[in-house]
Amino acid sequence: MPEIMEWARDLLMSRGALVETETAETAQAGALRAMLPAELAGALESSEWLSLRFGAGAGADDEGEWLDRLGRLLPRDARVVGARLRRLGIAPAIDAEAVLDRGLAIQNGIYRLIESYQETARYYFFTFRYTIESDETSLGIWTACLNATAGSLVHQPERLLHAVRDDLEEDPQFAIPREELARLFPIALRGARPQIRRLAAGIEQISTRRLARDAERIDSYYRDLLSQIEKRIARHRGDADAAAKERRRAAATELDRGAKLEDLARKYSLKIRVEPGDVLAVQLPVREIRVRMIRKKAERVARLHWNPAPGALESPWCEGCFGPAHPLLLCDERVHFLCKQCLAACGSCGKPYCRACQAKCRCGYAG
Ligand SMILES: [Zn+2]
Ligand SMILES: [Zn+2]
Ligand SMILES: [Zn+2]
């Protein structure tokens, strides 16, 4: 299932849509069908029966357009709190050359330091409540943190929050920047999903083990039952009626076993739900480092941030998928910042292409 599809499905479900269960066929086609509450349909400017298909081929929906539309779904009632430092300190001067040397891993280009100076950056901490359901339910909260000024993902949000929390106070002048939030929310959600999935992997392992154990138990119970019936059939060799009755019993027992195993698979199947929670917006002092990023004949000036709280250079997010881009790759034409997947070879013609420049490869294939 394409990334955007999974993301869209989670987002729609978190807003009360009934999403059709994925089948091999819809997964193959990259399709998603859902029934939306009227208010949600209104927000998305779609009908209440939503049918989406992304990827190559005629009639596919436009990914970029749907990313924008889905981005509006940041819950209206989400609590957005603006905070500021009691005293906006200054970020200490740094050896920018050494910071870049340690923290900036460009795989296919070079950089030149221009200058570094004091700056204030807008950070957003997005919280997501998640529920991982299997035979047991586990609940938790995941925080994603974005630096909106630099366009970077904070690697360990809880560390940053922990470092500044005691110095924060509510900002009385704070006005909710709706547009920026709508733009950042999908990026935060996209970032949170794989992390939550990673947490779910441990639970999935335990469930798989329990499922195997229980299935074996059920299997052995029915094996015994069937072998007893077999013996009775053998004993009734002379009595056709009695043997036929035992055969019917064997068939019913088989059906029963199938149903029990199906129940078991259902009980242990993994369901992950992600719901958006509160957002904390806070301004923090950083060192801004201006660099020229150079790829072949193209170049661009970037502004990277070093935050004193974790004491680390933040990596810009991938401009193709908005996930982490470390190591960082650059595209030939517009020097986009990319992760490895977003500059990968096309699945059809084998030529690498920039997923930020083009939604599809020149050969027409998306993927
Ligand atoms: Zn990417
Ligand atoms: Zn291609
Ligand atoms: Zn590009």
Side-chain angles (χ1 to χ4, degrees), residues 147-182:
N147 173 338
T149 314
S152 47
L153 301 169
V154 174
H155 180 47
Q156 287 173 313
E158 39 318 304
R159 251 182 82 192
L160 176 56
L161 197 54
H162 183 77
V164 299
R165 198 189 317 253
D166 291 343
D167 301 321
L168 291 181
E169 62 180 12
E170 194 151 344
D171 182 353
Q173 272 134 43
F174 178 73
I176 298 178
R178 288 260 165 227
E179 248 171 53
E180 189 162 63
L181 278 172

Side-chain angles (χ1 to χ4, degrees), residues 5 27 62 123 138 248 298 314:
M5 217 41 127
D62 185 313
Y123 285 87
S138 105
R248 279 199 297 277
E314 295 168 358

Side-chain angles (χ1 to χ4, degrees), residues 330-338 343 354-358:
L330 307 174
C331 88
D332 289 359
E333 269 151 55
R334 292 164 62 193
V335 200
H336 279 126
F337 300 153
L338 302 166
L343 194 60
C354 168
R355 270 60 167 185
C357 285
Q358 304 154 239

Side-chain angles (χ1 to χ4, degrees), residues 63-365:
E63 250 189 70
E65 187 201 320
W66 274 95
L67 278 177
D68 283 348
R69 285 205 213 179
L70 292 162
R72 295 178 209 150
L73 294 188
L74 174 73
R76 283 277 151 198
D77 55 351
R79 217 163 63 96
V80 184
V81 176
R84 62 180 184 195
L85 289 178
R86 271 192 204 95
R87 264 174 313 162
L88 191 65
I90 52 165
I94 47 162
D95 178 350
E97 201 70 77
V99 162
L100 291 174
D101 203 33
R102 245 194 335 263
L104 187 60
I106 306 182
Q107 214 163 51
N108 64 349
I110 54 166
Y111 63 84
R112 292 276 174 270
L113 170 66
I114 303 172
E115 57 179 334
S116 88
Y117 43 85
Q118 161 79 26
E119 188 52 275
T120 305
R122 291 187 312 284
Y123 285 87
Y124 292 92
F125 294 86
F126 289 86
T127 50
F128 295 96
R129 289 182 297 270
Y130 63 82
T131 317
I132 304 169
E133 269 175 81
S134 180
D135 57 323
E136 285 168 18
T137 298
S138 105
L139 301 165
I141 291 204
W142 179 266
T143 305
C145 177
L146 309 181
N147 173 338
T149 314
S152 47
L153 301 169
V154 174
H155 180 47
Q156 287 173 313
E158 39 318 304
R159 251 182 82 192
L160 176 56
L161 197 54
H162 183 77
V164 299
R165 198 189 317 253
D166 291 343
D167 301 321
L168 291 181
E169 62 180 12
E170 194 151 344
D171 182 353
Q173 272 134 43
F174 178 73
I176 298 178
R178 288 260 165 227
E179 248 171 53
E180 189 162 63
L181 278 172
R183 192 167 58 78
L184 297 178
F185 171 65
I187 301 177
L189 180 61
R190 275 186 171 194
R193 281 199 68 259
Q195 303 295 341
I196 294 169
R197 185 143 290 192
R198 202 167 45 84
L199 296 173
I203 296 176
E204 193 170 22
Q205 255 178 19
I206 297 171
S207 296
T208 310
R209 227 176 296 138
R210 288 188 187 153
L211 171 63
R213 182 200 61 199
D214 288 5
E216 168 52 32
R217 213 175 276 163
I218 287 184
D219 228 27
S220 107
Y221 169 76
Y222 281 94
R223 254 198 325 268
D224 286 353
L225 219 56
L226 285 163
S227 91
Q228 281 165 24
I229 298 174
E230 287 295 324
K231 277 184 202 145
R232 284 206 293 274
I233 293 174
R235 235 182 289 138
H236 292 309
R237 207 167 292 144
D239 181 350
D241 274 357
K245 199 170 155 200
E246 290 298 341
R247 263 186 220 106
R248 279 199 297 277
R249 190 168 288 161
T253 307
E254 281 287 4
L255 281 178
D256 209 25
R257 174 170 74 167
K260 286 275 187 321
L261 289 173
E262 244 173 60
D263 279 352
L264 211 57
R266 211 167 302 130
K267 175 178 164 193
Y268 286 110
S269 74
L270 198 72
K271 287 173 234 53
I272 306 173
R273 265 208 323 275
V274 181
E275 283 170 70
D278 296 347
V279 184
L280 172 70
V282 53
Q283 311 233 356
L284 294 174
V286 293
R287 291 297 296 193
E288 186 163 282
I289 307 174
R290 285 209 317 144
V291 266
R292 269 167 52 220
M293 309 282 241
I294 305 160
R295 165 76 184 149
K296 291 187 179 164
K297 287 195 188 90
E299 66 169 77
R300 109 189 222 195
V301 173
R303 297 183 305 165
L304 306 175
H305 283 177
W306 179 89
N307 187 307
L313 184 76
E314 295 168 358
S315 310
W317 59 60
C318 169
E319 290 170 298
C321 68
F322 301 99
H326 192 91
L328 187 66
L329 287 111
L330 307 174
C331 88
D332 289 359
E333 269 151 55
R334 292 164 62 193
V335 200
H336 279 126
F337 300 153
L338 302 166
C339 73
K340 215 169 141 198
Q341 285 79 23
C342 289
L343 194 60
C346 161
S348 174
C349 72
K351 280 201 197 105
Y353 69 97
C354 168
R355 270 60 167 185
C357 285
Q358 304 154 239
K360 291 176 191 176
C361 176
R362 290 218 171 86
C363 76
Y365 186 83

